[in-house]
Amino acid sequence: MNDAILVINSGSSSLKFVILAEEGNSITVEGIAEGLGFENGQLSIKFNGQKSTSTLSPSDHKSALMGINEWLEQHADIKSALTGIGHRVVHGGEFFSSSVLINNSIIQTINECTDLAPLHNPAHLKGIDLAQSLFPSLPQVAVFDTAFHQTLTKEQYLYGIPMRLYKEHHVRKYGFHGTSYRYISQKLGEIQPESLHQGVLVAHLGNGASVCAIQNGQSTDTSMGFTPLDGLIMGTRSGSIDPSLIAFIAEKDDLTLSETTNILNKESGLLGISELSNDCRTLEEAMQAGNNQATLALDMFASRAAKQLMSAATTLTTINHLVFTGGIGENSQYIRNKITDYLSAFNIQIDKAKNSTVVKDEASLISNDDQAIQVWVIPTNEEKMIALDTLDLITKKSLN
Ligand code: ADP
């Protein structure tokens, strides 16, 4: 094994990692450290079909990465195959429109974006700093969720509020899930090369959910905004609402602004509507058992997703493809069915039989051959995209 890449997603209370080999195509080992900063943090590592779990003491990011390094010391062949580390970074502000090799000035710039992602960016910087001290000889790369959407025009990324707020506080739409959209655009391009010169709509539907319009391989609009709260109804997030509701709810329930925002981030969406769960699979089971509120939550999710898709489509010259991805997009035939039902006025139709026989982890066409707009289910793979960017930048570095 050679050219293995360690991909790290360092969050505020968890740190996920995976080591990918063979151009990002093969998972060697993967794991997650959870409960960081709380009591009883744990590190779980999956290797060769076996999962091992250990307690972290102290329960912090440093212990997590030291635990991963200890495991690697015991698997010297894997450690010696590592050629680089790729870090997922949520926010690159207006500074980064592509992935970059990390150096001190890049670290400083990621830090400057902390205002825009106060929970995420400090956790990423912690992961980068620790990885640099534990693996000093490995080049490291930052891959930004926001970078793919830096191609949006001012008409799309500005809000209808005083320009001063953009100029002074960088208030604008940034968009997220960019690494997933870039992967999907490239994957569809491999299957249908002409799609790279056409209009593509993608619905990334997971716990967090958004849509993206892609013209000629570039993002032209997306539904998440200044933060990931905007756009679609999600697992626990409200998505777009009338902004006046924030002051109204705060006043009625005697809450602070941050308590009100917390309701919109953590207690809304599928969970808030169904009063049962944020999880699509649980809601589908409840719907089958006759729970009307679960059905309402799922149908509202589908309806808003359809509306957001058509809103983003206004930035395309033609709609040639619609792609479903993410945990819900890849697995829920009910949601795909509902969303495309809502889109029938736009000549988007699927073959119900094909929709019900999608093979897991494979790209599938679920529209009929006579349809002008092709509808796809394509599994996303953000970790592979991060590994490929890392390999690419390392190779360029060694050529210089
Ligand atoms: P995240 O945004 O956390 O990465 P995922 O992309 O993993 O989320 O998606 C998680 C969602 O996918 C959950 O709502 C889960 O219920 C849903 N999901 C996964 N498998 C299925 C399935 N077979 N049927 C319906 N929903 C599914």
Side-chain angles (χ1 to χ4, degrees), residues 343-388:
L343 295 175
S344 62
F346 300 91
N347 284 328
I348 292 179
Q349 278 169 36
I350 56 171
D351 179 313
K352 310 256 166 188
K354 286 184 185 169
N355 184 41
S356 63
T357 51
V358 166
V359 179
K360 201 168 167 55
D361 298 330
E362 277 182 25
S364 318
L365 181 68
I366 57 169
S367 54
N368 279 324
D369 292 341
D370 59 352
Q371 293 295 318
I373 301 175
Q374 297 188 337
V375 185
W376 299 85
V377 179
I378 302 182
T380 195
N381 195 338
E382 287 156 288
E383 293 78 14
K384 179 173 172 181
M385 197 76 253
I386 294 173
L388 288 176

mmCIF file of all heavy atoms in Angstrom, residues 343-388:
data_model
loop_
_atom_site.group_PDB
_atom_site.id
_atom_site.type_symbol
_atom_site.label_atom_id
_atom_site.label_comp_id
_atom_site.label_asym_id
_atom_site.label_seq_id
_atom_site.Cartn_x
_atom_site.Cartn_y
_atom_site.Cartn_z
ATOM 1 N N LEU A 343 -42.538 18.184 -8.640
ATOM 2 C CA LEU A 343 -41.852 18.845 -9.761
ATOM 3 C C LEU A 343 -42.437 18.457 -11.117
ATOM 4 O O LEU A 343 -41.843 18.762 -12.155
ATOM 5 C CB LEU A 343 -40.347 18.490 -9.731
ATOM 6 C CG LEU A 343 -39.585 19.018 -8.514
ATOM 7 C CD1 LEU A 343 -38.146 18.518 -8.522
ATOM 8 C CD2 LEU A 343 -39.610 20.542 -8.481
ATOM 9 N N SER A 344 -43.610 17.824 -11.132
ATOM 10 C CA SER A 344 -44.130 17.324 -12.407
ATOM 11 C C SER A 344 -44.438 18.477 -13.379
ATOM 12 O O SER A 344 -44.317 18.321 -14.593
ATOM 13 C CB SER A 344 -45.345 16.423 -12.196
ATOM 14 O OG SER A 344 -46.360 17.175 -11.589
ATOM 15 N N ALA A 345 -44.783 19.669 -12.847
ATOM 16 C CA ALA A 345 -45.067 20.820 -13.724
ATOM 17 C C ALA A 345 -43.816 21.237 -14.510
ATOM 18 O O ALA A 345 -43.914 21.941 -15.506
ATOM 19 C CB ALA A 345 -45.566 21.997 -12.896
ATOM 20 N N PHE A 346 -42.642 20.825 -14.033
ATOM 21 C CA PHE A 346 -41.385 21.195 -14.703
ATOM 22 C C PHE A 346 -40.843 20.043 -15.554
ATOM 23 O O PHE A 346 -39.668 20.008 -15.898
ATOM 24 C CB PHE A 346 -40.345 21.603 -13.653
ATOM 25 C CG PHE A 346 -40.788 22.784 -12.831
ATOM 26 C CD1 PHE A 346 -41.481 22.590 -11.636
ATOM 27 C CD2 PHE A 346 -40.554 24.077 -13.258
ATOM 28 C CE1 PHE A 346 -41.915 23.672 -10.882
ATOM 29 C CE2 PHE A 346 -40.979 25.163 -12.511
ATOM 30 C CZ PHE A 346 -41.675 24.958 -11.327
ATOM 31 N N ASN A 347 -41.723 19.090 -15.868
ATOM 32 C CA ASN A 347 -41.330 17.940 -16.691
ATOM 33 C C ASN A 347 -40.228 17.103 -16.058
ATOM 34 O O ASN A 347 -39.354 16.588 -16.749
ATOM 35 C CB ASN A 347 -40.902 18.380 -18.087
ATOM 36 C CG ASN A 347 -42.118 18.724 -18.924
ATOM 37 O OD1 ASN A 347 -43.180 18.114 -18.732
ATOM 38 N ND2 ASN A 347 -41.973 19.699 -19.797
ATOM 39 N N ILE A 348 -40.252 17.004 -14.749
ATOM 40 C CA ILE A 348 -39.305 16.116 -14.069
ATOM 41 C C ILE A 348 -40.092 14.900 -13.608
ATOM 42 O O ILE A 348 -41.033 15.018 -12.809
ATOM 43 C CB ILE A 348 -38.633 16.836 -12.876
ATOM 44 C CG1 ILE A 348 -37.717 17.944 -13.414
ATOM 45 C CG2 ILE A 348 -37.861 15.853 -12.004
ATOM 46 C CD1 ILE A 348 -37.001 18.755 -12.364
ATOM 47 N N GLN A 349 -39.758 13.758 -14.182
ATOM 48 C CA GLN A 349 -40.508 12.538 -13.854
ATOM 49 C C GLN A 349 -39.559 11.370 -13.659
ATOM 50 O O GLN A 349 -38.538 11.289 -14.345
ATOM 51 C CB GLN A 349 -41.456 12.196 -15.003
ATOM 52 C CG GLN A 349 -42.749 12.997 -14.937
ATOM 53 C CD GLN A 349 -43.554 12.849 -16.199
ATOM 54 O OE1 GLN A 349 -43.577 11.774 -16.799
ATOM 55 N NE2 GLN A 349 -44.197 13.912 -16.634
ATOM 56 N N ILE A 350 -39.920 10.490 -12.734
ATOM 57 C CA ILE A 350 -39.099 9.297 -12.547
ATOM 58 C C ILE A 350 -39.911 8.054 -12.896
ATOM 59 O O ILE A 350 -41.138 8.101 -13.001
ATOM 60 C CB ILE A 350 -38.578 9.175 -11.089
ATOM 61 C CG1 ILE A 350 -39.739 9.196 -10.087
ATOM 62 C CG2 ILE A 350 -37.561 10.246 -10.794
ATOM 63 C CD1 ILE A 350 -39.315 8.856 -8.678
ATOM 64 N N ASP A 351 -39.193 6.948 -13.085
ATOM 65 C CA ASP A 351 -39.823 5.653 -13.285
ATOM 66 C C ASP A 351 -39.949 5.022 -11.893
ATOM 67 O O ASP A 351 -38.945 4.767 -11.231
ATOM 68 C CB ASP A 351 -38.905 4.818 -14.196
ATOM 69 C CG ASP A 351 -39.458 3.439 -14.454
ATOM 70 O OD1 ASP A 351 -39.883 2.759 -13.478
ATOM 71 O OD2 ASP A 351 -39.434 3.024 -15.602
ATOM 72 N N LYS A 352 -41.195 4.849 -11.445
ATOM 73 C CA LYS A 352 -41.425 4.411 -10.051
ATOM 74 C C LYS A 352 -40.759 3.047 -9.784
ATOM 75 O O LYS A 352 -40.263 2.808 -8.683
ATOM 76 C CB LYS A 352 -42.921 4.318 -9.731
ATOM 77 C CG LYS A 352 -43.695 5.572 -10.120
ATOM 78 C CD LYS A 352 -44.072 6.453 -8.967
ATOM 79 C CE LYS A 352 -44.533 7.810 -9.475
ATOM 80 N NZ LYS A 352 -44.778 8.872 -8.650
ATOM 81 N N ALA A 353 -40.724 2.200 -10.801
ATOM 82 C CA ALA A 353 -40.109 0.882 -10.600
ATOM 83 C C ALA A 353 -38.595 1.041 -10.410
ATOM 84 O O ALA A 353 -37.997 0.441 -9.504
ATOM 85 C CB ALA A 353 -40.398 -0.023 -11.793
ATOM 86 N N LYS A 354 -37.986 1.898 -11.261
ATOM 87 C CA LYS A 354 -36.533 2.124 -11.108
ATOM 88 C C LYS A 354 -36.231 2.763 -9.759
ATOM 89 O O LYS A 354 -35.232 2.451 -9.114
ATOM 90 C CB LYS A 354 -36.018 3.040 -12.223
ATOM 91 C CG LYS A 354 -35.904 2.372 -13.580
ATOM 92 C CD LYS A 354 -35.290 3.336 -14.582
ATOM 93 C CE LYS A 354 -35.291 2.699 -15.962
ATOM 94 N NZ LYS A 354 -34.949 3.640 -17.020
ATOM 95 N N ASN A 355 -37.118 3.674 -9.325
ATOM 96 C CA ASN A 355 -36.907 4.360 -8.039
ATOM 97 C C ASN A 355 -36.939 3.370 -6.877
ATOM 98 O O ASN A 355 -36.272 3.578 -5.865
ATOM 99 C CB ASN A 355 -37.986 5.431 -7.844
ATOM 100 C CG ASN A 355 -37.762 6.245 -6.586
ATOM 101 O OD1 ASN A 355 -36.614 6.599 -6.285
ATOM 102 N ND2 ASN A 355 -38.819 6.529 -5.853
ATOM 103 N N SER A 356 -37.690 2.296 -7.027
ATOM 104 C CA SER A 356 -37.817 1.361 -5.896
ATOM 105 C C SER A 356 -36.766 0.248 -5.946
ATOM 106 O O SER A 356 -36.714 -0.588 -5.055
ATOM 107 C CB SER A 356 -39.225 0.758 -5.861
ATOM 108 O OG SER A 356 -39.427 0.017 -7.042
ATOM 109 N N THR A 357 -35.933 0.244 -6.997
ATOM 110 C CA THR A 357 -34.928 -0.833 -7.079
ATOM 111 C C THR A 357 -33.506 -0.280 -7.156
ATOM 112 O O THR A 357 -32.617 -0.911 -7.721
ATOM 113 C CB THR A 357 -35.194 -1.731 -8.314
ATOM 114 O OG1 THR A 357 -35.317 -0.885 -9.465
ATOM 115 C CG2 THR A 357 -36.428 -2.574 -8.166
ATOM 116 N N VAL A 358 -33.318 0.912 -6.582
ATOM 117 C CA VAL A 358 -31.971 1.513 -6.575
ATOM 118 C C VAL A 358 -31.032 0.628 -5.756
ATOM 119 O O VAL A 358 -31.372 0.210 -4.645
ATOM 120 C CB VAL A 358 -32.044 2.932 -5.963
ATOM 121 C CG1 VAL A 358 -30.665 3.461 -5.625
ATOM 122 C CG2 VAL A 358 -32.771 3.874 -6.917
ATOM 123 N N VAL A 359 -29.868 0.333 -6.331
ATOM 124 C CA VAL A 359 -28.896 -0.511 -5.615
ATOM 125 C C VAL A 359 -28.026 0.377 -4.725
ATOM 126 O O VAL A 359 -27.483 1.389 -5.182
ATOM 127 C CB VAL A 359 -27.998 -1.280 -6.621
ATOM 128 C CG1 VAL A 359 -26.967 -2.137 -5.884
ATOM 129 C CG2 VAL A 359 -28.859 -2.128 -7.536
ATOM 130 N N LYS A 360 -27.930 -0.009 -3.441
ATOM 131 C CA LYS A 360 -27.177 0.800 -2.476
ATOM 132 C C LYS A 360 -25.728 0.986 -2.934
ATOM 133 O O LYS A 360 -25.120 0.062 -3.489
ATOM 134 C CB LYS A 360 -27.212 0.091 -1.110
ATOM 135 C CG LYS A 360 -26.923 1.033 0.036
ATOM 136 C CD LYS A 360 -27.236 0.391 1.370
ATOM 137 C CE LYS A 360 -26.671 1.184 2.527
ATOM 138 N NZ LYS A 360 -27.065 2.585 2.596
ATOM 139 N N ASP A 361 -25.216 2.184 -2.710
ATOM 140 C CA ASP A 361 -23.820 2.530 -3.010
ATOM 141 C C ASP A 361 -23.464 2.519 -4.497
ATOM 142 O O ASP A 361 -22.291 2.467 -4.848
ATOM 143 C CB ASP A 361 -22.839 1.619 -2.239
ATOM 144 C CG ASP A 361 -23.001 1.785 -0.742
ATOM 145 O OD1 ASP A 361 -23.373 2.891 -0.315
ATOM 146 O OD2 ASP A 361 -22.784 0.803 -0.011
ATOM 147 N N GLU A 362 -24.493 2.511 -5.358
ATOM 148 C CA GLU A 362 -24.205 2.583 -6.803
ATOM 149 C C GLU A 362 -24.932 3.765 -7.415
ATOM 150 O O GLU A 362 -26.007 4.154 -6.949
ATOM 151 C CB GLU A 362 -24.702 1.312 -7.500
ATOM 152 C CG GLU A 362 -23.701 0.179 -7.402
ATOM 153 C CD GLU A 362 -24.188 -1.055 -8.132
ATOM 154 O OE1 GLU A 362 -25.013 -0.935 -9.066
ATOM 155 O OE2 GLU A 362 -23.750 -2.146 -7.729
ATOM 156 N N ALA A 363 -24.368 4.330 -8.485
ATOM 157 C CA ALA A 363 -25.067 5.403 -9.201
ATOM 158 C C ALA A 363 -26.177 4.777 -10.045
ATOM 159 O O ALA A 363 -25.944 3.785 -10.731
ATOM 160 C CB ALA A 363 -24.085 6.147 -10.096
ATOM 161 N N SER A 364 -27.398 5.342 -9.965
ATOM 162 C CA SER A 364 -28.521 4.772 -10.719
ATOM 163 C C SER A 364 -29.308 5.875 -11.404
ATOM 164 O O SER A 364 -29.559 6.924 -10.813
ATOM 165 C CB SER A 364 -29.512 4.057 -9.798
ATOM 166 O OG SER A 364 -28.860 3.303 -8.833
ATOM 167 N N LEU A 365 -29.738 5.594 -12.633
ATOM 168 C CA LEU A 365 -30.641 6.497 -13.350
ATOM 169 C C LEU A 365 -32.062 6.045 -13.014
ATOM 170 O O LEU A 365 -32.405 4.874 -13.208
ATOM 171 C CB LEU A 365 -30.383 6.380 -14.857
ATOM 172 C CG LEU A 365 -31.214 7.279 -15.770
ATOM 173 C CD1 LEU A 365 -30.836 8.739 -15.580
ATOM 174 C CD2 LEU A 365 -31.009 6.886 -17.236
ATOM 175 N N ILE A 366 -32.897 6.960 -12.479
ATOM 176 C CA ILE A 366 -34.253 6.530 -12.089
ATOM 177 C C ILE A 366 -35.334 7.160 -12.977
ATOM 178 O O ILE A 366 -36.519 7.015 -12.698
ATOM 179 C CB ILE A 366 -34.548 6.786 -10.586
ATOM 180 C CG1 ILE A 366 -34.360 8.279 -10.218
ATOM 181 C CG2 ILE A 366 -33.676 5.911 -9.700
ATOM 182 C CD1 ILE A 366 -34.900 8.617 -8.825
ATOM 183 N N SER A 367 -34.912 7.878 -14.027
ATOM 184 C CA SER A 367 -35.900 8.392 -14.994
ATOM 185 C C SER A 367 -35.880 7.472 -16.218
ATOM 186 O O SER A 367 -34.930 6.706 -16.415
ATOM 187 C CB SER A 367 -35.551 9.821 -15.398
ATOM 188 O OG SER A 367 -34.218 9.878 -15.864
ATOM 189 N N ASN A 368 -36.918 7.582 -17.025
ATOM 190 C CA ASN A 368 -36.959 6.774 -18.249
ATOM 191 C C ASN A 368 -36.133 7.418 -19.354
ATOM 192 O O ASN A 368 -35.888 8.622 -19.344
ATOM 193 C CB ASN A 368 -38.400 6.604 -18.706
ATOM 194 C CG ASN A 368 -39.069 5.496 -17.920
ATOM 195 O OD1 ASN A 368 -38.428 4.493 -17.592
ATOM 196 N ND2 ASN A 368 -40.329 5.691 -17.578
ATOM 197 N N ASP A 369 -35.723 6.600 -20.335
ATOM 198 C CA ASP A 369 -34.829 7.086 -21.391
ATOM 199 C C ASP A 369 -35.463 8.203 -22.230
ATOM 200 O O ASP A 369 -34.757 9.012 -22.807
ATOM 201 C CB ASP A 369 -34.419 5.923 -22.312
ATOM 202 C CG ASP A 369 -33.537 4.942 -21.553
ATOM 203 O OD1 ASP A 369 -32.990 5.352 -20.509
ATOM 204 O OD2 ASP A 369 -33.418 3.776 -21.989
ATOM 205 N N ASP A 370 -36.814 8.246 -22.297
ATOM 206 C CA ASP A 370 -37.450 9.278 -23.139
ATOM 207 C C ASP A 370 -37.605 10.616 -22.420
ATOM 208 O O ASP A 370 -38.118 11.577 -22.987
ATOM 209 C CB ASP A 370 -38.815 8.785 -23.641
ATOM 210 C CG ASP A 370 -39.762 8.456 -22.493
ATOM 211 O OD1 ASP A 370 -39.309 8.473 -21.315
ATOM 212 O OD2 ASP A 370 -40.946 8.187 -22.759
ATOM 213 N N GLN A 371 -37.139 10.718 -21.178
ATOM 214 C CA GLN A 371 -37.286 11.978 -20.427
ATOM 215 C C GLN A 371 -36.157 12.951 -20.766
ATOM 216 O O GLN A 371 -34.988 12.557 -20.824
ATOM 217 C CB GLN A 371 -37.251 11.704 -18.915
ATOM 218 C CG GLN A 371 -38.437 10.919 -18.405
ATOM 219 C CD GLN A 371 -39.744 11.699 -18.541
ATOM 220 O OE1 GLN A 371 -39.785 12.881 -18.267
ATOM 221 N NE2 GLN A 371 -40.788 11.022 -19.000
ATOM 222 N N ALA A 372 -36.499 14.235 -20.974
ATOM 223 C CA ALA A 372 -35.476 15.244 -21.295
ATOM 224 C C ALA A 372 -34.585 15.504 -20.079
ATOM 225 O O ALA A 372 -33.397 15.777 -20.209
ATOM 226 C CB ALA A 372 -36.146 16.544 -21.726
ATOM 227 N N ILE A 373 -35.180 15.422 -18.886
ATOM 228 C CA ILE A 373 -34.389 15.658 -17.668
ATOM 229 C C ILE A 373 -34.094 14.309 -17.007
ATOM 230 O O ILE A 373 -35.010 13.579 -16.629
ATOM 231 C CB ILE A 373 -35.145 16.582 -16.684
ATOM 232 C CG1 ILE A 373 -35.432 17.935 -17.376
ATOM 233 C CG2 ILE A 373 -34.325 16.787 -15.405
ATOM 234 C CD1 ILE A 373 -36.271 18.894 -16.552
ATOM 235 N N GLN A 374 -32.802 13.999 -16.929
ATOM 236 C CA GLN A 374 -32.415 12.716 -16.329
ATOM 237 C C GLN A 374 -32.372 12.867 -14.807
ATOM 238 O O GLN A 374 -31.811 13.838 -14.299
ATOM 239 C CB GLN A 374 -31.036 12.300 -16.831
ATOM 240 C CG GLN A 374 -31.015 12.055 -18.329
ATOM 241 C CD GLN A 374 -29.704 11.458 -18.796
ATOM 242 O OE1 GLN A 374 -28.673 11.589 -18.144
ATOM 243 N NE2 GLN A 374 -29.735 10.802 -19.946
ATOM 244 N N VAL A 375 -32.959 11.904 -14.118
ATOM 245 C CA VAL A 375 -32.967 11.948 -12.649
ATOM 246 C C VAL A 375 -32.099 10.796 -12.126
ATOM 247 O O VAL A 375 -32.279 9.639 -12.535
ATOM 248 C CB VAL A 375 -34.406 11.849 -12.087
ATOM 249 C CG1 VAL A 375 -34.392 12.020 -10.565
ATOM 250 C CG2 VAL A 375 -35.312 12.904 -12.718
ATOM 251 N N TRP A 376 -31.164 11.133 -11.255
ATOM 252 C CA TRP A 376 -30.156 10.186 -10.788
ATOM 253 C C TRP A 376 -30.164 10.035 -9.277
ATOM 254 O O TRP A 376 -30.530 10.970 -8.565
ATOM 255 C CB TRP A 376 -28.752 10.691 -11.154
ATOM 256 C CG TRP A 376 -28.488 10.847 -12.611
ATOM 257 C CD1 TRP A 376 -28.784 11.933 -13.381
ATOM 258 C CD2 TRP A 376 -27.873 9.885 -13.470
ATOM 259 N NE1 TRP A 376 -28.386 11.708 -14.673
ATOM 260 C CE2 TRP A 376 -27.819 10.471 -14.759
ATOM 261 C CE3 TRP A 376 -27.352 8.605 -13.276
ATOM 262 C CZ2 TRP A 376 -27.266 9.807 -15.851
ATOM 263 C CZ3 TRP A 376 -26.802 7.944 -14.360
ATOM 264 C CH2 TRP A 376 -26.771 8.534 -15.630
ATOM 265 N N VAL A 377 -29.687 8.890 -8.801
ATOM 266 C CA VAL A 377 -29.301 8.722 -7.398
ATOM 267 C C VAL A 377 -27.808 8.415 -7.427
ATOM 268 O O VAL A 377 -27.389 7.433 -8.065
ATOM 269 C CB VAL A 377 -30.060 7.548 -6.725
ATOM 270 C CG1 VAL A 377 -29.604 7.384 -5.275
ATOM 271 C CG2 VAL A 377 -31.565 7.769 -6.796
ATOM 272 N N ILE A 378 -27.005 9.281 -6.825
ATOM 273 C CA ILE A 378 -25.547 9.069 -6.829
ATOM 274 C C ILE A 378 -25.022 9.208 -5.397
ATOM 275 O O ILE A 378 -25.197 10.257 -4.774
ATOM 276 C CB ILE A 378 -24.819 10.082 -7.757
ATOM 277 C CG1 ILE A 378 -25.364 9.973 -9.190
ATOM 278 C CG2 ILE A 378 -23.314 9.851 -7.729
ATOM 279 C CD1 ILE A 378 -24.679 10.898 -10.202
ATOM 280 N N PRO A 379 -24.424 8.134 -4.859
ATOM 281 C CA PRO A 379 -23.884 8.223 -3.490
ATOM 282 C C PRO A 379 -22.760 9.260 -3.421
ATOM 283 O O PRO A 379 -21.891 9.285 -4.299
ATOM 284 C CB PRO A 379 -23.332 6.822 -3.213
ATOM 285 C CG PRO A 379 -23.912 5.947 -4.268
ATOM 286 C CD PRO A 379 -24.211 6.802 -5.451
ATOM 287 N N THR A 380 -22.797 10.117 -2.410
ATOM 288 C CA THR A 380 -21.729 11.107 -2.278
ATOM 289 C C THR A 380 -20.546 10.504 -1.535
ATOM 290 O O THR A 380 -20.662 9.432 -0.928
ATOM 291 C CB THR A 380 -22.240 12.373 -1.561
ATOM 292 O OG1 THR A 380 -21.290 13.421 -1.763
ATOM 293 C CG2 THR A 380 -22.464 12.162 -0.072
ATOM 294 N N ASN A 381 -19.393 11.153 -1.626
ATOM 295 C CA ASN A 381 -18.208 10.648 -0.931
ATOM 296 C C ASN A 381 -17.252 11.815 -0.667
ATOM 297 O O ASN A 381 -16.299 12.034 -1.417
ATOM 298 C CB ASN A 381 -17.530 9.551 -1.766
ATOM 299 C CG ASN A 381 -16.528 8.753 -0.961
ATOM 300 O OD1 ASN A 381 -16.040 9.232 0.068
ATOM 301 N ND2 ASN A 381 -16.209 7.555 -1.420
ATOM 302 N N GLU A 382 -17.592 12.566 0.390
ATOM 303 C CA GLU A 382 -16.794 13.766 0.689
ATOM 304 C C GLU A 382 -15.367 13.399 1.101
ATOM 305 O O GLU A 382 -14.424 14.106 0.766
ATOM 306 C CB GLU A 382 -17.482 14.571 1.808
ATOM 307 C CG GLU A 382 -18.736 15.271 1.312
ATOM 308 C CD GLU A 382 -19.743 15.568 2.409
ATOM 309 O OE1 GLU A 382 -20.376 14.619 2.910
ATOM 310 O OE2 GLU A 382 -19.911 16.743 2.757
ATOM 311 N N GLU A 383 -15.217 12.267 1.797
ATOM 312 C CA GLU A 383 -13.881 11.862 2.258
ATOM 313 C C GLU A 383 -12.974 11.569 1.065
ATOM 314 O O GLU A 383 -11.809 11.930 1.053
ATOM 315 C CB GLU A 383 -13.962 10.603 3.151
ATOM 316 C CG GLU A 383 -14.659 10.818 4.476
ATOM 317 C CD GLU A 383 -16.169 10.861 4.357
ATOM 318 O OE1 GLU A 383 -16.712 10.455 3.294
ATOM 319 O OE2 GLU A 383 -16.823 11.305 5.319
ATOM 320 N N LYS A 384 -13.538 10.918 0.037
ATOM 321 C CA LYS A 384 -12.738 10.614 -1.152
ATOM 322 C C LYS A 384 -12.305 11.918 -1.838
ATOM 323 O O LYS A 384 -11.167 12.054 -2.287
ATOM 324 C CB LYS A 384 -13.555 9.746 -2.115
ATOM 325 C CG LYS A 384 -12.792 9.421 -3.384
ATOM 326 C CD LYS A 384 -13.517 8.434 -4.257
ATOM 327 C CE LYS A 384 -12.801 8.302 -5.588
ATOM 328 N NZ LYS A 384 -13.451 7.373 -6.498
ATOM 329 N N MET A 385 -13.234 12.868 -1.912
ATOM 330 C CA MET A 385 -12.908 14.161 -2.539
ATOM 331 C C MET A 385 -11.760 14.832 -1.778
ATOM 332 O O MET A 385 -10.837 15.376 -2.384
ATOM 333 C CB MET A 385 -14.172 15.031 -2.499
ATOM 334 C CG MET A 385 -14.194 16.212 -3.407
ATOM 335 S SD MET A 385 -14.499 15.813 -5.124
ATOM 336 C CE MET A 385 -12.914 16.046 -5.819
ATOM 337 N N ILE A 386 -11.817 14.765 -0.435
ATOM 338 C CA ILE A 386 -10.752 15.380 0.389
ATOM 339 C C ILE A 386 -9.426 14.660 0.137
ATOM 340 O O ILE A 386 -8.373 15.285 -0.025
ATOM 341 C CB ILE A 386 -11.127 15.346 1.895
ATOM 342 C CG1 ILE A 386 -12.351 16.244 2.139
ATOM 343 C CG2 ILE A 386 -9.956 15.784 2.771
ATOM 344 C CD1 ILE A 386 -12.942 16.181 3.541
ATOM 345 N N ALA A 387 -9.486 13.321 0.055
ATOM 346 C CA ALA A 387 -8.254 12.552 -0.198
ATOM 347 C C ALA A 387 -7.685 12.892 -1.576
ATOM 348 O O ALA A 387 -6.472 13.070 -1.736
ATOM 349 C CB ALA A 387 -8.548 11.056 -0.090
ATOM 350 N N LEU A 388 -8.550 13.020 -2.586
ATOM 351 C CA LEU A 388 -8.074 13.322 -3.945
ATOM 352 C C LEU A 388 -7.467 14.725 -4.010
ATOM 353 O O LEU A 388 -6.423 14.928 -4.645
ATOM 354 C CB LEU A 388 -9.221 13.193 -4.958
ATOM 355 C CG LEU A 388 -9.679 11.760 -5.243
ATOM 356 C CD1 LEU A 388 -10.877 11.752 -6.184
ATOM 357 C CD2 LEU A 388 -8.535 10.919 -5.821
#
